[in-house]
Amino acid sequence: MGHFPNLPPPDLCHVRTCDRKRCYSGLEMMSQPIQPKLIIHGGAGSSLSGKGSVEIVRQSLHRVIEDVYELLQNGASAPDAVVRGCQLLEDDPLFNAGTGSVLQSDGQIRMSASLMDGTSLRFSGVINVSRVQNPIDLAKKLQPEQDRVLSDFGATEFAREIGVPIYDPKTEKRLKEWWYEHTDNFHRKMADVVAEPAGRGTIGVVALDAEGRIAAGTSTGGKGFERIGRVSDSAMPAGNYANDRSGVSCTGIGEDIIEECLAAKIVVRVTDGMSLVQAMERSFAEAESHNRDFGAISLDATGSIVWGKTSDVILAAFHNGDRIGDSLEAEKGTKVVRC
Ligand code: GLY
C-alpha cells in the first residue's frame, strides 16, 4: 500500500506556534541533545459538534501538553512523563478514564490502564479495576513486579496492599447518562464520552525524552454499558505498545483494536524498517478495508509524530519541539497525519 490518497499535509493540523528549540533527527541526534516529543489523546469518536466543544477539549488537551512537555524539557524520563500525562487526563472528567469514566451495564465503573517502557520493554497494567483515582499509578507500580498485569479482584487487592486510597470516580453526568440508558433498556451501544456525543473514549500519552527513551500509556473506563467482565484493549499490547524505536497508544472500539493488534503491529513495522508514517498508513489502510472504528497516536526515535484515525474524530494534541498542535478540526474519515 504505497499510496494513501486521503493523507493531508501536516499544516492541516491546528497549530499554535511556541518559541521552542528546533527538532533534531537521524545522525544529528548522535551529537546534539535530543529534542523531546509528546503526543496525547482524549479518545476518538463520531462527532465533536460545535465550536464550543472543540474549544473545551482543546483547552484541556493543550494544558496537559504544556505541563508534561515542561517536565520532559526539565529532564523527566519518558515513563514518568507518560504517567503524569495519564494522571492529568484521568483527573479531567471530560474524558472517559479515571474520574468521568463511563458506567458498565450493571452501573459499576471498571477501569483499565497500561504502561509500556520501550527501553526496558516492560508492559504492566490493570484490567477492570474499581474505586481508585488513577489506574495508571497501579500500572506504574506494577512495572518492577513479576506479575505485571492484574485484573479486577487482584488489581484491587494490589491497590490496597500498596496503600492506594479508596476513590469513587463516578460523576453526576455519567450516572445520569447510565440512568437514562437503563430506563431505555440500553438501546444505545456506547456511552458519550466527551462533551458532545462521541463514543469510544480512552486517554493516552506517548513520549520521547531527552535521552531518546520512548514510553506509552493508555487508560480507559471502557465502552460504557458493556457486559460485566468485558476486557478492553487499553491494557493489552494491541492498544498500547512501545520499544526503543517507536510507541503507540490507541483509542476507539476495543474489539476492533484487538483484532487488528494495532499498537504492536505499528511498532513491529517500524522495527522492521518502515518509517513511522508508512507503518501508520499501511495499518490504517488495512483498518479501513476491515471497517474498523478507532484512532491511534504515535511517535518514533527520530522524532516523527503521527496520528491516524478511521473514526470521524480523534482528540489528539502534540508538542513537536516547535509548536503545540491538535487534530480536533481534521476532516471526517480515514486520515493519517504527520505533525
Ligand atoms: N478502547 C477502549 C475500549 O474499547 O475499552
Side-chain angles (χ1 to χ4, degrees), residues 100-110 170-192 221 223-228:
S101 285
V102 294
L103 279 58
Q104 299 193 338
S105 55
D106 63 344
Q108 299 300 309
I109 290 176
R110 298 180 184 87
K170 185 165 73 271
T171 61
E172 194 71 11
K173 180 177 187 305
R174 295 293 176 221
L175 184 59
K176 282 191 182 138
E177 193 179 75
W178 181 85
W179 184 251
Y180 176 78
E181 289 304 315
H182 176 62
T183 51
D184 195 32
N185 206 19
F186 297 113
H187 276 131
R188 237 179 352 158
K189 288 275 189 293
M190 279 169 296
D192 297 339
K223 282 198 296 194
F225 320 129
E226 65 266 66
R227 268 177 187 270
I228 304 166

Side-chain angles (χ1 to χ4, degrees), residues 146-214:
Q146 274 196 331
D147 302 326
R148 290 191 284 281
V149 184
L150 299 179
S151 68
D152 46 63
F153 176 72
T156 306
E157 197 171 73
F158 178 72
R160 302 303 162 246
E161 206 177 289
I162 63 172
V164 174
I166 290 172
Y167 178 83
D168 184 358
K170 185 165 73 271
T171 61
E172 194 71 11
K173 180 177 187 305
R174 295 293 176 221
L175 184 59
K176 282 191 182 138
E177 193 179 75
W178 181 85
W179 184 251
Y180 176 78
E181 289 304 315
H182 176 62
T183 51
D184 195 32
N185 206 19
F186 297 113
H187 276 131
R188 237 179 352 158
K189 288 275 189 293
M190 279 169 296
D192 297 339
V193 294
V194 289
E196 298 292 333
R200 312 125 173 96
T202 301
I203 64 92
V205 180
V206 189
L208 170 72
D209 69 26
E211 294 189 18
R213 295 168 297 198
I214 296 172

Side-chain angles (χ1 to χ4, degrees), residues 58-71:
R58 178 166 287 143
Q59 270 180 23
S60 285
L61 293 177
H62 286 210
R63 207 166 28 236
V64 174
I65 284 282
E66 278 164 11
D67 283 10
V68 178
Y69 197 78
E70 193 177 329
L71 291 179

Side-chain angles (χ1 to χ4, degrees), residues 13 23 56 102 144 169 191 199 225 252 265 270 312 316:
C13 293
C23 316
I56 289 166
V102 294
F225 320 129
K265 179 164 71 177
V270 173
D312 287 349

Side-chain angles (χ1 to χ4, degrees), residues 40-43 47-48 50-64 89 92 94-95 193-196 198 314-317 326-328:
I40 67 173
H41 71 75
S47 71
L48 244 188
K51 192 72 184 162
S53 301
V54 170
E55 285 312 322
I56 289 166
V57 172
R58 178 166 287 143
Q59 270 180 23
S60 285
L61 293 177
H62 286 210
R63 207 166 28 236
V64 174
L89 290 161
D92 188 334
L94 199 56
F95 305 116
V193 294
V194 289
E196 298 292 333
I314 180 169
L315 313 181
D326 65 56
S327 64
L328 301 182

Side-chain angles (χ1 to χ4, degrees), residues 231-253:
V231 175
S232 161
D233 62 288
S234 297
M236 291 186 191
N240 188 67
Y241 202 71
N243 65 10
D244 59 349
R245 309 284 178 90
S246 61
V248 178
S249 167
C250 303
T251 173
I253 305 287

